[in-house]
Amino acid sequence: MVIAAHSLPAARVRHLGPNWYASVMGTSVVGTAGAALPLRLPGLREVCTAVWALALLMLLTLLTARARHWAHHRDQARAHLLDPAMAPFYGCLSMALLAVGGGALTVGRDWIGTGAAVALDTVLFSAGTAVGLAAAVTVPYLLAVRHRVQAAQATPVWLLPLVAPMVSAALGPLLVPHLPPGQPRETLLLACLAMFGLSLLATLLMLPLVFARLITSDPLPLALTPTLFLVLGPLGQSTTAVGLIADAAPRVVPAPYDRGFAVFVLLYGVPVMGFALLWLAFAAAHVVRARRQGMGFAMTWWAFTFPVGTCVTGAAALARHTGLAVYEALAVGLYLLLVAAWLAAASGTVRGLLSGELLAGPRPAPVAPLPATVRTRSGAVR
């Protein structure tokens, strides 16, 4: 799963797209979500820290490989940026930086110390937030003026650049206690709240396009079916964000607003988590259908990981603020699902790297059309 970037021939990284950062996100969240669980098992935190260290190594390797990609294959890099199927994955670069940075303060400090963890998170949070805000503007702009997309082409992948600022909103509060008291702390916390609103409202604009495409057009292609899990990302991450903002608000935001954040956790988080569970069932049904029709492994399987991890941390935030055992059980159950999803995605990625298939160029289109699902005029599928 970790590519030896310095030893790879330049030709091998030609087709290494920004979608590979999803593997860093999915690995990092296994560590941070495990640390957020409302239970303390012997050795769990040590395992979570080791997983975070693996994610850090993967991030450094991919950054090196992607730098070689831009240096030796600028034509392909520009093609990725102008491809409506690939450009949204630039949001994954932001989220990979943010996820590893947040993990440094959550679990990584156990190994590298608090000072080094704060310094690392400061760098990665700043870079990830800058990239995420740029992607949130640039990618929708390209979709509007360069990509020439149609409503029937909408996929959950379009959400990726819009979710990146929500990850900043959820992980920024971890840095608040390490800033000087007063305006620096309050400024960062309210900036996180602003990014929460930015990402949430943008997602609410995009999500109806995705759902309408699912209802009025054919189901997603088999390889893209796992991306339905991406919708869980803004839902779980926004619930996590309001919980962590509320945790950081006392002695940072003046009264009575600090107490208002705690109320908002329940008023927002409970209904949103309910919708997340509904979408989880909806997406899982589509995946079961796709598997029965022959869906094989693709890098889109990493969509099973990070979004589910955000639901783990969201459920843990609700458990922390409500004290209800049902949310504790939900967090644990979702974490078991996350670990199973990570094992499936990681093992498929390792096999693909060893065989060379994942770094190979795209296959030519088949001469004869493949059988496709037919939708009748009534909307039924046969």
Side-chain angles (χ1 to χ4, degrees):
M1 186 162 46
V2 178
I3 308 168
H6 63 279
S7 62
L8 276 176
R12 293 292 304 277
V13 299
R14 176 170 177 79
H15 300 286
L16 187 72
N19 56 320
W20 278 78
Y21 287 111
S23 63
V24 178
M25 298 159 52
T27 301
S28 182
V29 80
V30 172
T32 54
L37 290 177
L39 51 84
R40 295 292 177 266
L41 296 177
L44 175 61
R45 188 170 178 87
E46 289 74 15
V47 171
C48 291
T49 306
V51 172
W52 169 80
L54 173 62
L56 175 60
L57 178 60
M58 292 170 63
L59 176 63
L60 295 174
T61 303
L62 276 174
L63 287 174
T64 303
R66 286 287 295 164
R68 296 192 69 194
H69 179 270
W70 273 95
H72 296 282
H73 304 288
R74 292 186 182 180
D75 61 323
Q76 187 68 20
R78 293 192 188 97
H80 284 163
L81 193 59
L82 296 178
D83 181 356
M86 187 62 72
F89 284 101
Y90 275 91
C92 291
L93 168 58
S94 166
M95 291 185 278
L97 294 169
L98 292 165
V100 174
L105 276 182
T106 305
V107 292
R109 58 186 172 87
D110 293 353
W111 285 6
I112 64 176
T114 300
V118 171
L120 178 60
D121 189 26
T122 299
V123 172
L124 295 182
F125 176 81
S126 301
T129 299
V131 172
L133 292 174
V137 175
T138 303
V139 175
Y141 174 79
L142 291 174
L143 286 172
V145 303
R146 292 293 300 273
H147 292 160
R148 305 298 182 187
V149 295
Q150 300 177 354
Q153 297 174 279
T155 73
V157 172
W158 290 5
L159 294 170
L160 286 172
L162 305 178
V163 179
M166 187 67 78
V167 181
S168 293
L171 297 178
L174 298 177
L175 281 171
V176 168
H178 301 283
L179 292 177
Q183 291 223 4
R185 291 185 181 182
E186 186 174 358
T187 299
L188 177 57
L189 193 64
L190 293 186
C192 292
L193 184 62
M195 289 187 286
F196 165 86
L198 179 161
S199 180
L200 176 64
L201 295 176
T203 298
L204 291 178
L205 290 174
M206 190 68 75
L207 187 55
L209 295 177
V210 175
F211 189 66
R213 180 254 189 271
L214 294 173
I215 299 300
T216 61
S217 186
D218 292 332
L220 290 175
L222 297 184
L224 284 179
T225 302
T227 64
L228 288 172
F229 275 70
L230 294 177
V231 177
L232 296 174
L235 303 175
Q237 197 68 282
S238 61
T239 304
T240 304
V242 295
L244 291 175
I245 290 173
D247 292 340
R251 295 179 298 279
V252 173
V253 179
Y257 304 112
D258 56 345
R259 295 191 298 274
F261 282 115
V263 174
F264 186 55
V265 175
L266 272 64
L267 295 181
Y268 176 86
V270 172
V272 168
M273 186 56 64
F275 179 65
L277 294 177
L278 171 66
W279 191 272
L280 176 61
F282 175 76
H286 274 263
V287 169
V288 170
R289 170 189 171 277
R291 284 292 283 173
R292 288 176 176 173
Q293 294 191 354
M295 180 187 77
F297 174 78
M299 286 298 289
T300 52
W301 279 36
W302 284 102
F304 295 140
T305 56
F306 189 78
V308 174
T310 67
C311 291
V312 174
T313 54
L318 291 177
R320 194 166 61 249
H321 283 270
T322 64
L324 293 178
V326 65
Y327 284 116
E328 295 180 355
L330 178 62
V332 173
L334 289 173
Y335 188 71
L336 294 176
L337 177 62
L338 168 63
V339 171
W342 183 85
L343 290 173
S347 60
T349 303
V350 170
R351 288 195 302 270
L353 285 173
L354 293 177
S355 67
E357 183 178 356
L358 287 181
L359 293 178
R363 296 192 182 103
V367 177
L370 296 175
T373 302
V374 178
R375 186 182 293 274
T376 66
R377 290 187 178 182
S378 66
V381 176
R382 58 183 176 87

